[in-house]
């Protein structure tokens, strides 16, 4: 089983739709969780951190479920500019260091 | 521009040659990370530094890969005797470790390597 798993998609949705992505992780000792966004042939950029209580930033909501070991990202009122790959990142402790593990990413295509 | 920079942006080399990539982190960041990303995959962690100390290098892909950060500022990643399977995007990221596991990494634009 991979350490961090994501459905690669693509998710193809119309403008204005609500779309949700899940990401599962295998290391129960994982410390922190993030969603990054990566545009085609560009570097990843932090979208948001994920907290146990859930957090919201405008149209984006992230949730963490430690018991089931998954995190989610909800995008409401999708815009054309939301088209990108969304990467789930899990930080796990390893010998005093925090090793970030990325999922393979979920591709989102928002069409008119 | 005060972001993470990487040089070169593109590198084409022949199999068997050595290549070296450079990363300049954000100036106040003491942590620096190297990743490899292949098509359709997320970035794969290779190694990281805190100041000049290399704290984790067990994930380097083989003994052909090495990284340095001699003065705790810029870093280099070297691949010796390149193979076609080394063709990928090599990403560098930096962060400040003042937030424990919640530190935010900022990525550079990457170096795209093609081994012929």
């Amino acid at each position: 089983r991979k350490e961090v798993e994501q459905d690669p998609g693509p998710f193809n949705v119309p403008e204005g739709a609500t779309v949700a992505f899940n990401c599962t992780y295998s290391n129960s000792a994982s410390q922190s969780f993030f969603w990054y966004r990566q545009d085609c042939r560009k570097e990843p950029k932090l979208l948001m951190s994920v907290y146990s209580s859930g957090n919201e930033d405008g149209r984006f909501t992230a949730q963490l479920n430690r018991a089931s070991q998954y995190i989610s990202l909800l995008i409401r009122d999708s815009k054309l500019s939301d088209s990108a790959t969304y990467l789930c990142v899990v930080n796990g402790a390893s010998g005093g260091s925090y090793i970030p593990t990325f999922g393979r990413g979920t591709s989102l295509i928002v069409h008119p | 521009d005060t972001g993470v920079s990487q040089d070169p942006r593109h590198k084409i080399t022949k199999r068997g040659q050595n290549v070296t990539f450079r990363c300049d982190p954000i100036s106040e960041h003491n942590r620096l990370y190297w990743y490899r990303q292949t098509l359709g995959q997320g970035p794969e962690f290779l190694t990281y530094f805190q100041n000049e100390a290399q704290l984790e290098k067990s994930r380097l892909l083989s003994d052909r890969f090495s990284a340095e950060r001699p003065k705790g500022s810029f870093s280099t990643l070297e691949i010796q005797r390149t193979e076609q399977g080394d063709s990928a995007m090599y990403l560098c990221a930096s962060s400040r470790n003042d937030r424990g596991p919640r530190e935010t990494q900022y990525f550079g634009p990457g170096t795209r390597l093609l081994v012929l």
Side-chain angles (χ1 to χ4, degrees):
Chain A
R1 182 183 174 188
K2 287 188 177 179
E3 289 185 58
V4 178
E5 293 203 59
Q6 291 184 255
D7 180 346
F11 285 64
N12 201 321
V13 303
E15 272 187 290
T18 295
V19 61
F21 309 135
N22 282 339
C23 167
T24 58
Y25 60 94
S26 60
N27 184 353
S28 59
S30 296
Q31 300 288 315
S32 55
F33 310 86
F34 305 87
W35 284 102
Y36 276 72
R37 169 192 169 131
Q38 186 171 27
D39 293 292
C40 188
R41 303 182 74 82
K42 299 285 190 179
E43 72 272 22
K45 294 186 178 179
L46 179 68
L47 181 64
M48 57 199 307
S49 301
V50 188
Y51 303 110
S52 296
S53 55
N55 49 304
E56 187 173 313
D57 182 2
R59 299 181 293 108
F60 298 84
T61 301
Q63 293 275 356
L64 166 65
N65 185 318
R66 282 191 182 272
S68 300
Q69 295 183 205
Y70 77 84
I71 67 173
S72 64
L73 178 67
L74 182 76
I75 306 176
R76 290 180 299 278
D77 189 24
S78 299
K79 311 292 184 190
L80 295 176
S81 58
D82 293 334
S83 298
T85 296
Y86 291 83
L87 296 159
C88 163
V89 186
V90 175
N91 269 4
S94 174
S97 303
Y98 292 108
I99 303 301
T101 302
F102 282 73
R104 64 180 297 182
T106 297
S107 176
L108 172 65
I109 301 169
V110 182
H111 59 81
Chain B
D1 186 349
T2 57
V4 179
S5 62
Q6 292 188 244
D7 183 71
R9 295 290 305 278
H10 303 273
K11 178 71 178 179
I12 300 174
T13 191
K14 292 182 179 178
R15 189 175 50 186
Q17 298 294 305
N18 299 343
V19 295
T20 300
F21 309 143
R22 175 177 170 131
C23 171
D24 287 88
I26 294 171
S27 59
E28 64 267 28
H29 286 183
N30 59 348
R31 284 195 172 174
L32 186 149
Y33 297 76
W34 283 101
Y35 295 87
R36 181 181 78 162
Q37 187 174 25
T38 54
L39 194 64
Q41 301 297 319
E44 177 184 11
F45 171 84
L46 296 179
T47 186
Y48 91 101
F49 295 84
Q50 181 160 306
N51 300 313
E52 64 276 7
Q54 191 172 12
L55 297 187
E56 176 61 60
K57 56 182 180 180
S58 65
R59 308 288 183 97
L60 285 167
L61 300 165
S62 77
D63 59 6
R64 298 184 297 105
F65 287 73
S66 62
E68 294 183 341
R69 195 184 183 196
K71 297 182 180 178
S73 56
F74 74 91
S75 175
T76 57
L77 177 70
E78 181 181 18
I79 309 173
Q80 295 182 327
R81 304 180 303 281
T82 52
E83 302 173 356
Q84 288 183 324
D86 296 332
S87 297
M89 173 77 90
Y90 290 85
L91 291 161
C92 172
S94 71
S95 69
R96 288 172 56 175
N97 73 321
D98 55 355
R99 300 189 66 198
R102 297 210 170 278
E103 64 184 65
T104 298
Q105 295 187 27
Y106 296 85
F107 282 82
T111 295
R112 191 172 295 277
L113 172 67
L114 177 61
V115 182
L116 301 177

